[in-house]
Amino acid sequence: MDDSTVSPARRRFFLTILLGGVGAALAGLTAWPFWTYLSPSKGAGAGEKVKVPREKVPIGQAHFFTFQGHPAVVIQPSAGKYIALTAVCTHLGCIVKWEPDKEDFLCPCHGGRYSPDGQVTGGPPPKPLESYPVALQGDQVVIG
Amino acid sequence: MKRLKPLLWAGIGLFLLLLAVPGPVLAAETSCLQCHGAQSGRFGEPVPLWRQSIHAANGISCHNCHGGDPTVMSMDAMSPERGFRGVPAKTDIPDFCGRCHIGVKEDYLQSAHGKALGKGGPQCVTCHSNHKVVAASPALINPQSCTRCHDYGRAADIKAAVTSTDQMIGGISDDLAGLHHLGIDVKEMQGKLFSLRNEFHRLFHEVDAEKVRQQTADFQQRLGQIRQQVTVIQERLDQRKLVGGGVIALLVLAGVLAALIRKNYHEEERAGE
Amino acid sequence: MSWHKRVIDWVELRLGIRDILAQNLTEYLLPRNTNVWYTLGAVLLTLFALQFLTGILLLVHYVPDSNEAFKSVNRIMNEIPFGWLIRYLHVVGSNMIVIALLLHMFSVLFMKSYYRPREVTWLSGFGLFNLGLALCLTGYLLPWSQLSFWATTVATDAAGAVPVVGDQLVRFLRGGPMVSDTTLGRFFALHVMGLPLLFGLLVGLHLFCVRRAGISSPPFGSDYRLWEPKDRFRHQHHPGGIPFFPNYATKDTAVICFFLAALLTVVIFAPTIFIPPDALEPANPFTTPAHIKPEWYFLWAYQTLKIFPSKFLGLAAQGALMTFLALLPFIDRGPERRPAQRPIFVTCYVLGVLILIGLSIWGHYS
């Protein structure tokens, strides 16, 4: 055997390292599309306003709807005044209920309570409910 | 028990094979086509002509223009009570076709052609024929057709005015069809193009070359917007091909490396023998 | 001590895997002269895994309802990032699998690897072939395009040729008189759960048979020995052979890489080879498109039916052929495996392949 050439074992080691490198590259190139495919879309319609017909929100009642991918609520505590808030409780994420007789929000999971404008009035929630800008357009309430 | 197993598999194989076999299927035809299709002479002529038309390709059949009831298998299908309109008189043809092609009828009636209706002027069928109606194109403006009534000069003029825009429309239409075949959602763009094309074709019917030239720039600009959208998609597709080509090359490289390692072991075995 | 040695030691103490790894990798000796056709099994395993994976991903966004199916596929192709890639991999992958299945089967036939003691391997493999075709057939309906709808109508119509119970059979397959939502429901259940489950079980049996009985030596070259009947079970050893790992593992890897490269080439540069224009229009139960044809791998069956004057005869002929193939190990009993010494078989084989190709081409143009 010619001693100046690389031994088969060395050559094989080099080839294996190369194969490993190419394999890693291919694995990455495969994982990327699969990961992106499964990832949630970046808030489809983030910034999109939602219109709710006025008759759906009687005085003293609440109307629940979807806003930017999560549940939200709009109430009319007094004639002509509309408030829109997120309906996701800031404690652990349950959806709050509106109590027309008590005129407040009650979270059924751990008894958190919020005033009509979203301030915490009782229970474990650490933060108030986030509010959204509301405007009136004819017979529609525009949130966002 | 061993004898049953191959029979079981054979049975399953047979059953699955039976699934693979097709049989003839036909969609039902209207009574108009069934009767007139079987006739020879002038009552049978329209059927093979219509089959080659763009109306047939889009599901527009006899009763859509002539009225009547396509589900009744007797002469009663053609009674006036069932809405049958029969063959229109020459001067009624623009109204007949204009029931659907409203915009074109409007422009035609304002044109020199429309004003000559009933006085030797052309109506829809003169250029478009009645049953073998094909997709409109500048090819309909040609010496044989137009010189039946006047010299070709002004016809050639307006043909020149519409040709470049029409070619743009044709080019975008072909590209969109290609993208559609690749599974790209082109419905909105095809809708916009279709609407632009109709607007442009209806404009032609005023047979006013100057008006066509004035409006060409606007049309071409709007077509340009669609063309821009198509280009963006095509660039995205080219990018996919580039990256894809790279991954394919990497795979081939991996295969070659594995084969070389295998060969290496092979040589080692042989050296060791 | 290196970290991976430490991990293997930990598992070894609890499960004794070093033995198993050695038996199946480094000490698993195979004949020296196997050819490249022996790698097709590994190729098929990889392609099926890919099909399974892309299928699950498609399942995340696909909706099996006749009003939503086509739109959901459109969304996957246009709105979901890389949805087009997953979908095309699945479509082209299924065709590539049929090609690999045929190559695998033809090489087994040619080398008479179905010969005893490998009859169960052959039968499970033949079952896998039919299940693969059934998966193709049921999957075809799911996009709910014109092609899906009418190709399924035509395919299920065939069952009507069975005497006595034909019509009931067609209604049973379709879940009603015509292809409809109920058909979509049952084809979806079959394609996504029923058939893959059966398939997985059969693959397990097939692999077990291959490993348990041992790999057959290729019937070529000076190492060929006539098989002698045994009085009890004996795993076929190859004492002078070479280990599966790393020798055949690298060979399998190389061929798998080339197949994947071919798959990806079609997906990137010619994805619509297997997608005719009818596949891009939503299903319309009232309009049959002209020239509906089944996929290329069913064209031979389609053309056979057109040749035979009676539908039943045509079906019976195909059924007979498939039965014959399934039972081949019990029909072809001679121990001679070298193709050069089996002139009748090789003649029938070559004729059969040519007729298959001829019928398919004819079916394409008819």
Side-chain angles (χ1 to χ4, degrees):
Chain A
M1 279 255 45
D2 190 349
D3 282 279
S4 65
T5 54
V6 184
S7 77
R10 288 286 288 281
R11 221 182 306 141
R12 188 163 64 227
F13 180 69
F14 171 67
L15 286 173
T16 315
I17 297 287
L18 265 184
L19 183 61
V22 174
L26 281 169
L29 283 166
T30 312
W32 167 246
F34 284 10
W35 172 256
T36 322
Y37 177 92
L38 287 170
S39 297
S41 54
K42 322 244 180 265
E48 242 176 55
K49 296 185 209 257
V50 175
K51 292 200 179 125
V52 176
R54 276 172 95 151
E55 64 251 16
K56 285 220 164 133
V57 197
I59 301 178
Q61 302 291 347
H63 172 75
F64 287 82
F65 60 100
T66 309
F67 185 71
Q68 290 179 1
H70 61 254
V73 62
V74 58
I75 52 173
Q76 194 182 174
S78 53
K81 179 170 176 225
Y82 293 89
I83 305 177
L85 305 161
T86 175
V88 182
C89 181
T90 55
H91 177 222
L92 288 174
C94 294
I95 308 303
V96 302
K97 291 193 186 318
W98 170 251
E99 298 187 299
D101 45 324
K102 296 211 185 62
E103 286 180 38
D104 69 357
F105 292 100
L106 169 68
C107 182
C109 289
H110 305 101
R113 281 188 183 280
Y114 302 85
S115 67
D117 59 359
Q119 298 302 317
V120 181
T121 54
K127 290 190 292 207
L129 295 172
E130 188 192 350
S131 69
Y132 307 121
V134 179
L136 283 173
Q137 226 176 58
D139 60 350
Q140 307 265 23
V141 181
V142 182
I143 298 116
Chain B
M1 195 55 206
K2 193 157 185 206
R3 295 214 175 267
L4 280 178
K5 193 163 179 188
L7 284 172
L8 179 65
W9 286 119
I12 293 178
L14 175 65
F15 173 73
L16 288 168
L17 185 67
L18 292 181
L19 291 185
V21 160
V25 179
L26 284 171
E29 285 206 322
T30 62
S31 61
C32 332
L33 291 170
Q34 286 188 40
C35 281
H36 286 269
Q39 290 180 7
S40 52
R42 60 177 260 261
F43 284 117
E45 262 171 30
V47 177
L49 290 174
W50 168 82
R51 285 204 197 280
Q52 300 171 53
S53 72
I54 192 170
H55 285 149
N58 281 285
I60 310 289
S61 189
C62 324
H63 59 283
N64 294 113
C65 297
H66 292 282
D69 192 334
T71 59
V72 172
M73 299 288 172
S74 71
M75 297 287 284
D76 206 32
M78 298 185 288
S79 68
E81 291 84 48
R82 294 194 190 270
F84 187 63
R85 290 178 213 112
V87 179
K90 251 209 183 114
T91 46
D92 291 331
I93 290 179
D95 286 326
F96 192 81
C97 307
R99 266 180 58 244
C100 294
H101 297 277
I102 303 169
V104 172
K105 171 182 150 186
E106 253 178 57
D107 282 319
Y108 160 81
L109 288 174
Q110 290 170 23
S111 71
H113 282 167
K115 297 197 177 113
L117 181 67
K119 303 174 212 142
Q123 16 77 16
C124 322
V125 178
T126 315
C127 302
H128 291 281
S129 114
N130 49 2
H131 294 112
K132 193 176 163 185
V133 182
V134 296
S137 78
L140 287 167
I141 314 170
N142 56 65
Q144 294 87 333
S145 187
C146 307
T147 53
R148 284 180 283 179
C149 300
H150 53 70
D151 65 65
Y152 190 58
R154 27 197 169 150
D157 190 26
I158 198 170
K159 182 167 183 172
V162 302
T163 297
S164 81
T165 312
D166 208 82
Q167 273 173 352
M168 261 184 98
I169 294 176
I172 299 177
S173 176
D174 288 339
D175 285 344
L176 285 178
L179 288 181
H180 176 67
H181 198 196
L182 283 171
I184 313 272
D185 186 8
V186 293
K187 239 193 333 212
E188 208 190 294
M189 283 187 281
Q190 275 176 333
K192 263 196 266 187
L193 184 70
F194 185 67
S195 153
L196 262 176
R197 180 177 162 275
N198 284 351
E199 248 184 86
F200 189 64
H201 281 183
R202 99 171 242 195
L203 174 63
F204 160 80
H205 287 85
E206 292 193 33
V207 287
D208 183 345
E210 194 46 49
K211 196 160 184 190
V212 172
R213 274 189 283 266
Q214 278 169 0
Q215 300 211 8
T216 291
D218 177 57
F219 272 106
Q220 294 203 345
Q221 194 243 357
R222 285 149 76 189
L223 283 170
Q225 283 170 346
I226 307 180
R227 163 59 68 200
Q228 177 63 4
Q229 283 178 290
V230 171
T231 309
V232 164
I233 296 178
Q234 282 172 334
E235 276 171 9
R236 208 185 331 142
L237 290 177
D238 285 337
Q239 198 192 37
R240 281 184 199 171
K241 292 206 180 113
L242 200 63
V243 176
V247 176
I248 293 168
L250 272 181
L251 273 170
V252 172
L253 179 62
V256 167
L257 284 172
L260 284 174
I261 296 176
R262 162 89 177 100
K263 204 167 86 129
N264 187 290
Y265 278 116
H266 209 53
E267 281 164 7
E268 212 178 49
E269 290 156 38
R270 270 202 295 208
E273 272 170 12
Chain C
M1 202 194 283
S2 63
W3 64 269
H4 64 81
K5 210 158 179 297
R6 255 201 280 240
V7 169
I8 297 191
D9 277 346
W10 187 92
V11 184
E12 164 69 11
L13 245 125
R14 287 148 182 81
L15 297 173
I17 51 158
R18 278 225 162 82
D19 237 354
I20 301 180
L21 285 177
Q23 268 175 26
N24 287 289
L25 295 176
T26 49
E27 283 164 27
Y28 176 32
L29 297 180
L30 274 67
R32 288 175 170 268
N33 58 341
T34 62
N35 50 53
V36 72
W37 301 91
Y38 278 70
T39 60
L40 283 171
V43 168
L44 278 165
L45 264 180
T46 312
L47 288 177
F48 277 121
L50 187 66
Q51 215 54 10
F52 198 68
L53 188 61
T54 51
I56 293 180
L57 287 175
L58 287 173
L59 203 53
V60 171
H61 291 286
Y62 172 76
V63 181
D65 172 83
S66 60
N67 293 316
E68 293 297 320
F70 188 82
K71 281 188 254 180
S72 67
V73 174
N74 211 33
R75 255 201 311 275
I76 292 173
M77 293 293 289
N78 286 281
E79 289 167 31
I80 314 248
F82 293 106
W84 60 273
L85 180 64
I86 308 292
R87 199 260 174 121
Y88 278 143
L89 277 174
H90 202 76
V91 169
V92 180
S94 70
N95 283 277
M96 188 127 260
I97 284 178
V98 176
I99 294 176
L101 278 172
L102 288 171
L103 289 175
H104 185 52
M105 188 174 75
F106 286 144
S107 68
V108 164
L109 283 173
F110 194 68
M111 293 192 285
K112 200 164 179 168
S113 306
Y114 55 79
Y115 189 64
R116 58 186 291 195
R118 295 183 174 84
E119 296 100 321
V120 182
T121 319
W122 167 260
L123 287 170
S124 55
F126 195 73
L128 281 169
F129 177 58
N130 282 291
L131 275 180
L133 291 179
L135 277 165
C136 289
L137 190 80
T138 47
Y140 217 55
L141 179 64
L142 302 188
W144 206 251
S145 66
Q146 274 289 64
L147 183 65
S148 308
F149 188 91
W150 293 105
T152 306
T153 303
V154 151
T156 47
D157 209 47
V162 174
V164 183
V165 293
D167 280 326
Q168 282 170 301
L169 203 52
V170 174
R171 288 175 141 250
F172 186 77
L173 286 172
R174 291 179 183 168
M178 282 202 63
V179 172
S180 65
D181 239 323
T182 37
T183 323
L184 185 58
R186 55 189 59 202
F187 273 38
F188 178 71
L190 275 176
H191 185 79
V192 163
M193 187 53 97
L195 293 174
L197 216 70
L198 271 177
F199 196 87
L201 290 171
L202 259 189
V203 167
L205 175 64
H206 192 72
L207 288 177
F208 169 72
C209 291
V210 168
R211 187 68 189 86
R212 183 75 169 151
I215 294 286
S216 61
S217 281
F220 311 110
S222 53
D223 287 336
Y224 172 73
R225 297 279 172 274
L226 205 60
W227 179 88
E228 284 147 14
K230 311 275 192 300
D231 54 347
R232 56 189 187 83
F233 166 73
R234 253 181 226 244
H235 171 89
Q236 184 161 2
H237 290 284
H238 303 277
I242 44 181
F244 173 73
F245 186 92
N247 301 56
Y248 282 116
T250 45
K251 194 174 180 187
D252 283 349
T253 307
V255 179
I256 289 174
C257 285
F258 294 138
F259 260 85
L260 287 177
L263 172 65
L264 209 53
T265 306
V266 177
V267 164
I268 298 286
F269 294 103
T272 55
I273 286 186
F274 303 113
I275 303 190
D278 282 327
L280 297 156
E281 306 304 316
N284 182 349
F286 302 107
T287 313
T288 315
H291 315 301
I292 279 291
K293 280 198 175 44
E295 273 288 86
W296 63 269
Y297 39 84
F298 288 138
L299 280 175
W300 62 278
Y302 171 75
Q303 191 55 37
T304 309
L305 258 196
K306 288 175 105 174
I307 298 176
F308 276 79
S310 130
K311 206 159 138 189
F312 174 64
L313 270 183
L315 274 181
Q318 292 168 51
L321 170 69
M322 293 298 257
T323 312
F324 175 77
L325 266 182
L327 299 179
L328 200 52
F330 308 98
I331 299 172
D332 184 10
R333 289 177 176 275
E336 177 61 67
R337 284 177 59 222
R338 286 173 297 184
Q341 312 296 328
R342 303 159 67 201
I344 303 177
F345 178 85
V346 172
T347 316
C348 292
Y349 177 85
V350 171
L351 268 177
V353 171
L354 285 176
I355 292 177
L356 199 73
I357 298 178
L359 277 175
S360 302
I361 298 178
W362 187 4
H364 177 71
Y365 286 111
S366 75

